């Protein structure tokens, strides 16, 4: 779609311009879009002005001297309380009257987004319900009513003309403020008690608890509270100036609400707690709201407790201990007690972290206490005599930086330089992504060679980890314990400052090291100067101020880079250039000071910079938590492809532990975003939380079915990574040192070896349609089925009688419960099952991957029993069942799932697939090979259907297979024609291998009885005919249909479906046979029985052979089966495809995304979808942007606004 796609379609534009005046005024709907009587608008106008009129009564009585200010405010508040109670009572009565279900009128359009109300008269129920919708909860009715009265009373007192005149020094400035402020107050009252407007600052997708109605009253009360403090305390010039400014801001509050600059109450609370926790208490942003609340409450108690500790030594010991404990990951307590031991063993220190943590804690407390006790010297205030005419005027203390603390300060400077240099060389680029790191290896083709090339960097990373996590914290504790300002700790500012400093040592060692070095350099630069101003604050407060300045400065630079990227690319990227782009660029150039002011305000508030529709039109978004979304991470829009990200997430998290610890991902503070790329997979990482030796990640997987926008941005990602990590022979050495994509929002960081699945797809033209290969399919099928039947006998022979009775699963991957119930259903259908027969049988494609030395083992055969029902519900020939249970073979498929997502017109023709017709194929000579129909006769009837059946073989060997398997309705002449397909040499070879492997009674019986070959051959040929494979050369369509679990209908097929275990074995054998056909066509023929035996053992233990829609396929990916194979059909190209997944270690590219760019685009997404309701799938703001990666960023947002197909719960990684 071109760049001139409308930002909002015509309907949404009309909807927006109806909604925006309602937001601006606070709720009155003055533009409805349809004809309404005048009294509807008049009622809304009167209700809007009611607070002003009631407040005017109290104001007038105050001005004439009849009432004091408090009594006037009380009168106005009481009148407003009565009006609000009346309105809410009326709304509740109307709601109860209209609660009866009524027939919809025929002329109403129930599909309209907005209901068109038919008004009958001015006090009709529909009129009241339209103007005053009422509250959903009775608690809110009472609370909002009381709050409305209090707000009107306090507002009247806040806006008394006499007070405003005294504040501004005259009525000239007071009267405009008085008049316009009542508009703000009326909008707040209307939103609270009449009708809540839609707010542009929307944090929650749904206002379940009616919190939005409290937004405007909350800010009005905040302004009034500041004025109350000014009036009730001694006059202070700074407070007076603050009140003057706030009265002016109070006038423009409706504009700020309309622009979405002020957050709703829930976002405001979370943002305030996060800012205080991070900047004031030295903590980290938390992964969830609950963790944030708990950590905020616990952390707030530490400086309060430290303030009341009388001894400075006790303060040092207490703050060191609490700083260390609060910087740890509290979720690991569950791992220590075994509640989450599975995750803890993979991603955290587990039990071994407990003694190590106690050792660190004891060492830090001992160091801080001993240094403070023995080497601490209170700052002796050496004076400087300032004289005038020889007379001393004042003696000021001077800045002194010497002794042990100065030595530790020099050590901190050296540590900072070493840690910074060692971190820089870990990544691909240096100096913020501008210069390429010559020490970082280019891709060498395989992960093993890459690991060897990175040995030197790994050693440097280990050295940095030791310096940063072991040496630096103890050095910083020594610096703080020796500080002279500890003597003044019994002040609130110093108590907070030192509490924060001792926690930052552990919580974020690299940031604390930088802040302390800046303080040290400031002291070195002003040594000997008077200790006034900055130097009188104390070290704790200095560190707090430095931390605040560094944080806001870094945010300002990042927002400036994001704004410049949006502005520049709106012109340089041709597809982003609109007709209005030049005008917007001129406006930005003219209003450059205003733009810089917005950037500064956005940085000061730590709020996202919102590019409206991602155009160079910038607004200040409302402050919100760093996560940007209200819910707990982990919500996704799952699909069958989600399983690949599920397997990848744990492996990738393990690889990221070392990368974060050694600094390969840069500083990586909480709120950082990263993109990982491998083949067609795109992974979005968000760093949620970080502390001492741990970090918390959220891993999201983006869609694999790539759209055009997704493909364009993914291609640009590949170009960025290849330019950084792949050796190029064309570029000059000078250009190779520079980052050609420096302006892109994505900066490559490193490559990580990760064990994951690589996906290879092949077109099977020349294989599946080759007559030479198809002629071998029948013979291979009989061999494979005989082998599987022998495996079943050997597996049953290994079971003890107790296992046979209890039906215990034979391997960890088998599901005993589902297997037992499913096979018991089949035994109810049959009348020929011997009591000694076990329902268990062999297969392995859903089991865990076995080691190579287990190829000869058959224990994994039972893993084919799982919860998946491949053939759908069996209606015919079933006894009554209490419930339907799922049952499947790995390697089989749900037949309906093959085409469930396709249109009927897109299905392939039925005749080539042999649906209900004889299977046919056209040979090279034009000869058509047809499958022979099964004859029927009036012979013995067995269980289901009528037809001629085989003669059952008698003898001891007949007990090896269930009796019902020997009753196929096939004519003897037909069996004789196919008898040549039974390979006696292969059968005896397979029996001999089972005997050598330790078979007992059943294998010995097979060796003794020659008729066993006839028995197994009959069963194998019965399955071959039932599947329609009696033709010499089946068609490709029939092969594909059989592989998916379907077959041409016949009486023999009904017989086979009635024996579920045999049916699954038959389908499994066919899939193995096709995989044999594929391997022989690709790698060469299999000439010896030994090679065939080894190949089948490999399939059994290390492969899953099925289709990607199987439940067993997803389970095999989760269990990390080494290889997976599936057969597919490309309807668009008309070709058959083979897909092979291989589990091995590959390099995954990791790059960092501009965090402010992500927050800005997500803020626009929230505004555009939740307020403007612009949910058009082809809207401008979701189109591909190769520099901003706009489409990928929108996908990575949390649902319901984004649509990642996988999102992990917060993963806690140990990075010590």
């Amino acid at each position: 779609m071109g760049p001139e796609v409308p930002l909002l379609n015509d309907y949404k534009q009309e909807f927006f311009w109806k909604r925006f005046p309602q937001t601006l005024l606070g709720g009155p709907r003055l533009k409805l879009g349809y004809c309404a009587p005048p009294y509807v608008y008049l009622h809304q106008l009167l209700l809007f002005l009611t607070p002003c009129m009631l407040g005017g009564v109290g104001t007038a009585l105050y001005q004439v001297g009849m009432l004091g200010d408090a009594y006037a405010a009380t009168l106005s508040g009481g009148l407003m309380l009565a009006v609000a109670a009346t309105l809410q009572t009326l709304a509740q009565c109307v709601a109860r009257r209209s609660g009866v279900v009524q027939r919809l009128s025929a002329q109403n359009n129930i599909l309209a987004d907005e209901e068109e109300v038919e008004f009958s008269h001015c006090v009709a129920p529909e009129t009241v319900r339209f103007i005053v919708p009422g509250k959903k909860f009775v608690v809110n009715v009472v609370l909002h009513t009381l709050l409305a009265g209090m707000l009107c009373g306090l507002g009247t007192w806040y806006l008394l003309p006499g007070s405003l005149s005294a504040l501004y020094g005259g009525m000239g400035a007071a009267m405009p403020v008085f008049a316009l402020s009542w508009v703000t107050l009326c909008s707040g009252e209307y939103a609270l008690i009449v009708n809540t407007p839609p707010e542009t600052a929307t944090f929650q997708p749904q206002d379940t608890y009616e919190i939005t109605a409290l937004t405007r009253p909350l800010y009005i009360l905040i302004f009034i509270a500041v004025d109350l403090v000014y009036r009730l305390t001694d006059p202070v010039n700074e407070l007076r100036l603050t009140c003057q400014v706030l009265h002016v801001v109070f006038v423009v509050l409706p504009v700020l609400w309309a622009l979405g600059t002020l957050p709703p109450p829930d976002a405001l609370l979370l943002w305030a707690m996060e800012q205080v926790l991070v900047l004031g208490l030295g903590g980290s942003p938390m992964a969830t709201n609950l963790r944030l609340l708990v950590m905020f409450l616990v952390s707030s108690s530490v400086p309060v407790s430290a303030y009341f500790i009388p001894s400075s030594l006790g303060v040092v010991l207490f703050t060191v201990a609490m700083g260390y404990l609060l910087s740890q990951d509290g979720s690991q307590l569950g791992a220590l007690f075994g509640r989450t031991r599975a995750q803890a063993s993979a991603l955290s220190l587990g039990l071994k972290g407990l003694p190590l943590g106690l050792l660190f804690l004891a060492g830090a407390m001992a160091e801080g206490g001993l240094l403070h006790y023995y080497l601490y010297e209170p700052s002796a205030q050496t004076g400087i005599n300032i004289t005038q005419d020889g007379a001393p005027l004042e003696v000021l203390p001077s800045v002194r930086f010497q002794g042990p603390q100065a030595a530790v300060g020099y050590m901190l400077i050296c540590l900072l330089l070493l840690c910074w240099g060692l971190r820089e060389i870990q990544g691909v680029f240096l100096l913020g992504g501008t210069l390429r790191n010559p020490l970082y290896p280019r891709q060498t083709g395989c992960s093993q060679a890459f690991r060897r090339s990175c040995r030197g960097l790994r050693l440097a990373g280990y050295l940095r980890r030791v310096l940063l996590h072991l040496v630096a914290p103890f050095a910083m504790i020594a610096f703080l314990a020796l500080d002279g300002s500890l003597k003044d700790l019994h002040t609130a500012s110093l108590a907070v400052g030192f509490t924060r400093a001792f926690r930052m040592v552990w919580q974020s060692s690299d940031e604390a090291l930088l802040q302390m070095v800046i303080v040290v350099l400031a002291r070195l630069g002003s040594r000997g100067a008077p200790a006034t101003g900055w130097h009188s604050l104390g070290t704790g407060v200095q560190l707090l101020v430095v931390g605040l300045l560094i944080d806001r400065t870094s945010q300002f630079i990042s927002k400036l880079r994001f704004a410049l990227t949006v502005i520049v690319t709106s012109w340089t990227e041709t597809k982003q250039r609109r007709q209005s782009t030049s005008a917007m660029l001129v406006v930005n150039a003219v209003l450059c000071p205003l733009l810089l002011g917005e950037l500064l305000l956005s940085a000061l508030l730590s709020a996202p910079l919102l590019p409206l529709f991602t155009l160079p039109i910038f607004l200040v978004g409302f402050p919100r938590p760093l996560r940007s979304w209200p819910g707990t991470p982990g919500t996704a829009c799952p699909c069958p492809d989600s399983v690949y990200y599920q397997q990848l997430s744990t492996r990738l998290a393990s690889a990221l532990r070392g990368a974060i610890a050694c600094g390969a991902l840069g500083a990586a503070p909480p709120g950082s975003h990263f993109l990982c790329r491998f083949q067609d997979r795109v992974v979005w990482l968000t760093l949620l939380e970080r502390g001492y030796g741990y970090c918390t990640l959220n891993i999201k997987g983006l869609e694999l079915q790539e759209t055009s926008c997704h493909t364009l941005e993914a291609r640009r990602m590949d170009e960025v990574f290849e330019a950084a990590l792949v050796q190029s022979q064309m570029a000059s050495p000078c250009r190779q040192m520079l980052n050609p994509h420096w302006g892109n929002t994505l900066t490559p960081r490193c490559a990580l070896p990760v064990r994951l699945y690589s996906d290879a797809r092949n077109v099977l033209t020349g294989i599946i349609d080759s007559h030479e290969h198809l002629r071998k399919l029948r013979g291979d099928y009989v061999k494979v089925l005989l082998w599987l039947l022998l495996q079943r006998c050997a597996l049953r022979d290994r079971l003890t009688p107790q296992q046979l009775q209890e039906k215990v699963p034979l391997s960890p991957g088998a599901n005993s419960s589902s297997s037992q119930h499913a096979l018991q259903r089949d035994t109810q259908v049959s009348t020929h099952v011997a009591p000694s027969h076990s329902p268990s049988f062999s297969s392995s494609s859903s089991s865990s991957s076995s080691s190579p030395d287990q190829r000869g083992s058959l224990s994994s055969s039972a893993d084919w029993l799982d919860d998946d029902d491949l053939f759908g519900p069996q209606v015919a020939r079933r006894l009554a069942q209490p419930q339907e249970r799922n049952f499947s073979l790995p390697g089989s498929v749900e037949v309906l799932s093959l085409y469930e997502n396709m249109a009927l017109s897109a299905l392939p023709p039925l005749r080539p697939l042999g649906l209900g017709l004889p299977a046919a194929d056209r040979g090279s000579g034009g000869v058509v090979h047809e499958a022979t129909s099964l004859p029927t006769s009036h012979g013995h009837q067995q269980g289901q259907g009528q037809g001629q059946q085989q003669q059952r073989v008698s003898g001891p060997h007949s007990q090896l297979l269930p009796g019902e398997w020997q009753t196929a309705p096939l004519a003897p002449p037909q069996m004789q024609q196919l008898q040549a397909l039974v390979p006696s040499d292969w059968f005896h070879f397979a029996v001999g291998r089972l005997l050598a492997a330790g078979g007992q009674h059943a294998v010995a019986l097979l060796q003794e009885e020659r008729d066993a070959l006839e028995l197994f051959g009959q069963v194998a040929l019965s399955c071959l005919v039932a599947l329609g494979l009696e033709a010499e050369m089946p068609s490709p369509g029939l092969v594909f249909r059989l592989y998916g679990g379907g077959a041409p209908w016949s009486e023999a097929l009904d017989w086979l479906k009635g024996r579920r275990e045999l049916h699954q074995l038959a389908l499994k054998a066919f899939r193995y046979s096709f995989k044999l056909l594929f391997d022989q066509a690709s790698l060469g023929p299999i000439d010896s029985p030994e090679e065939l035996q080894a190949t089948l053992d490999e399939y059994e233990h290390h492969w899953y052979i099925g289709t990607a829609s199987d439940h067993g396929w997803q389970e095999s990916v989760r269990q990390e089966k080494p290889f997976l194979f599936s057969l597919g059909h490309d309807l668009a190209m008309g070709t058959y495809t083979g897909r092979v997944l291989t589990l091995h270690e590959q390099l995954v590219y990791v790059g960092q995304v501009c965090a402010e760019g992500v927050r800005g685009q997500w803020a626009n997404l929230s505004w555009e979808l939740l307020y403007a309701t612009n949910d058009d799938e082809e809207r401008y703001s979701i189109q591909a942007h190769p520099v901003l990666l706009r489409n990928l960023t929108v996908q990575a947002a949390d649902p319901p606004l984004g649509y990642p197909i996988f999102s992990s719960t917060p993963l806690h990684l140990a990075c010590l």
Side-chain angles (χ1 to χ4, degrees), residues 694-772:
Y694 85 96
C695 66
T696 304
L697 287 175
N698 172 238
I699 299 179
K700 296 177 182 177
L702 306 188
E703 61 182 359
L704 298 182
Q705 304 296 331
E706 297 183 350
T707 60
S708 58
C709 297
H710 182 105
T711 304
L712 179 61
E713 294 186 355
R715 188 182 304 119
R716 177 57 64 91
M717 284 180 57
D718 295 335
E719 293 174 359
V720 171
F721 282 123
E722 289 174 1
L725 294 165
V726 179
Q727 185 70 34
S728 175
Q729 303 296 335
M730 302 299 294
S732 62
C734 182
R735 293 191 61 184
Q736 288 185 3
M737 291 300 297
L738 299 176
N739 182 7
H741 300 281
W742 180 80
N744 198 289
T745 189
L746 177 66
T747 302
R749 285 296 182 187
C750 63
L752 298 178
V754 181
R755 186 172 176 82
L756 44 70
Y757 282 101
S758 62
D759 194 347
R761 302 171 188 260
N762 305 295
V763 178
L764 301 184
T765 302
I767 298 178
I768 196 172
D769 55 357
S770 171
H771 295 176
E772 178 184 358

Side-chain angles (χ1 to χ4, degrees), residues 226-281:
V226 176
D227 193 74
L228 276 173
V229 173
Y230 169 70
R231 296 189 188 186
L232 300 178
T233 58
D234 295 333
V236 179
N237 291 333
E238 291 79 5
L239 193 56
R240 177 187 176 90
L241 178 62
T242 301
C243 289
Q244 290 175 348
V245 173
L246 289 182
H247 270 282
V248 176
V249 176
F250 190 84
V251 172
V252 298
L253 277 181
V255 178
L256 297 179
W257 286 323
L259 294 178
T261 305
L262 301 178
D266 49 353
L268 178 64
L269 178 63
L270 295 174
W271 170 81
M273 287 194 299
E274 185 177 87
Q275 293 298 307
V276 173
L277 177 64
V278 175
L279 299 176
L281 302 174

Side-chain angles (χ1 to χ4, degrees), residues 166 335 542 996:
Q542 289 176 355

Side-chain angles (χ1 to χ4, degrees), residues 339-454:
R339 186 164 54 90
T340 56
R341 189 171 301 279
Q343 179 183 355
S345 61
L347 301 179
S348 66
L349 291 175
L351 289 174
K352 64 183 179 182
L354 182 59
L356 184 62
L358 294 177
L359 180 63
F360 285 174
L361 176 60
M365 293 180 66
E367 181 204 19
L370 291 175
L371 289 177
H372 183 77
Y373 185 79
Y374 288 105
L375 299 180
Y376 169 71
E377 297 179 2
S379 54
Q381 306 296 338
T382 59
I384 297 179
N385 294 329
I386 300 177
T387 62
Q388 182 178 4
D389 298 332
L393 294 180
E394 185 179 4
V395 177
L396 296 176
S398 62
V399 177
R400 190 184 65 169
F401 189 61
Q402 59 187 6
Q405 190 182 27
V408 176
Y410 289 118
M411 182 188 298
L412 293 178
I413 296 175
C414 297
L415 282 174
L416 176 66
L417 295 176
L418 280 175
C419 292
W420 178 81
L422 292 174
R423 188 191 71 192
E424 283 291 299
I425 64 175
Q426 296 296 317
V428 181
F429 291 105
L430 306 173
L431 302 177
T434 55
L435 298 177
R436 194 187 181 282
N437 180 12
L439 301 179
Y440 199 88
R442 298 276 184 159
Q443 181 182 352
T444 55
C446 64
S447 59
Q448 291 78 8
F450 183 80
R451 285 181 181 274
R452 290 192 296 268
S453 303
C454 291

Side-chain angles (χ1 to χ4, degrees), residues 464-762:
R464 177 185 177 273
R465 292 164 72 174
V466 172
L467 293 176
L468 186 62
H469 296 295
L470 297 181
V471 179
F474 290 94
M476 288 186 284
I477 289 175
F479 179 83
L480 294 173
L482 295 172
D483 191 76
S485 58
L486 281 171
K487 67 179 179 62
D488 300 325
L489 194 60
H490 296 291
T491 60
S493 59
L494 285 177
V496 172
F498 272 99
T499 301
R500 174 190 177 276
F502 278 111
R503 180 172 180 178
M504 283 287 293
V505 165
W506 305 103
Q507 188 80 51
S508 182
S509 300
D510 48 354
E511 293 183 11
L513 186 60
L514 175 61
Q515 295 170 17
M516 288 192 186
V517 168
I518 293 176
V519 171
V520 169
L521 293 177
R523 290 188 182 180
L524 289 175
S526 58
R527 187 162 46 183
T532 57
W534 166 260
H535 299 289
S536 64
L537 295 178
T539 302
V541 180
Q542 289 176 355
L543 291 173
L544 192 151
V545 174
V546 169
L548 178 63
L549 291 177
I550 292 176
D551 178 77
R552 295 310 192 240
T553 303
S554 62
Q555 286 196 40
F556 178 80
I557 295 174
S558 183
K559 294 177 192 297
L560 178 62
R561 179 184 175 183
F562 171 57
L564 291 177
T565 302
V566 174
I567 292 173
V568 173
T569 55
S570 66
W571 182 264
T572 57
E573 294 290 331
T574 306
K575 293 186 177 180
Q576 307 301 324
R577 193 182 304 166
R578 302 173 61 88
Q579 293 180 356
S580 57
T581 299
S582 57
M584 289 186 288
L585 294 180
V586 171
V587 171
N588 278 284
V590 173
L591 300 180
C592 181
L594 180 60
L595 176 59
L596 292 177
E598 286 188 352
L599 293 174
L600 183 60
L601 178 61
S602 177
L604 291 177
L605 294 176
S606 187
L609 182 67
L610 191 155
L612 200 62
F613 299 105
T614 63
L615 293 171
I617 304 173
F618 299 100
L619 300 175
V620 179
F622 66 88
R624 66 199 78 188
L626 203 59
R627 298 192 314 272
S628 296
W629 307 113
T632 300
T635 307
C637 306
C639 69
D641 291 332
S642 303
V643 68
Y644 304 114
Y645 290 112
Q646 184 179 357
Q647 181 272 331
L648 174 62
S649 62
T650 303
R651 295 286 187 175
L652 182 61
S654 300
L656 287 169
R657 294 170 58 187
I660 294 174
C662 70
L665 300 183
S672 301
H673 299 271
F674 300 91
L675 272 175
C676 302
R677 178 70 169 167
F678 173 73
Q679 288 189 348
D680 59 346
R681 272 156 276 183
V682 179
V683 180
W684 188 283
L685 306 176
T686 303
L687 192 61
L688 302 173
E689 180 183 338
R690 193 167 183 182
Y692 184 68
Y694 85 96
C695 66
T696 304
L697 287 175
N698 172 238
I699 299 179
K700 296 177 182 177
L702 306 188
E703 61 182 359
L704 298 182
Q705 304 296 331
E706 297 183 350
T707 60
S708 58
C709 297
H710 182 105
T711 304
L712 179 61
E713 294 186 355
R715 188 182 304 119
R716 177 57 64 91
M717 284 180 57
D718 295 335
E719 293 174 359
V720 171
F721 282 123
E722 289 174 1
L725 294 165
V726 179
Q727 185 70 34
S728 175
Q729 303 296 335
M730 302 299 294
S732 62
C734 182
R735 293 191 61 184
Q736 288 185 3
M737 291 300 297
L738 299 176
N739 182 7
H741 300 281
W742 180 80
N744 198 289
T745 189
L746 177 66
T747 302
R749 285 296 182 187
C750 63
L752 298 178
V754 181
R755 186 172 176 82
L756 44 70
Y757 282 101
S758 62
D759 194 347
R761 302 171 188 260
N762 305 295

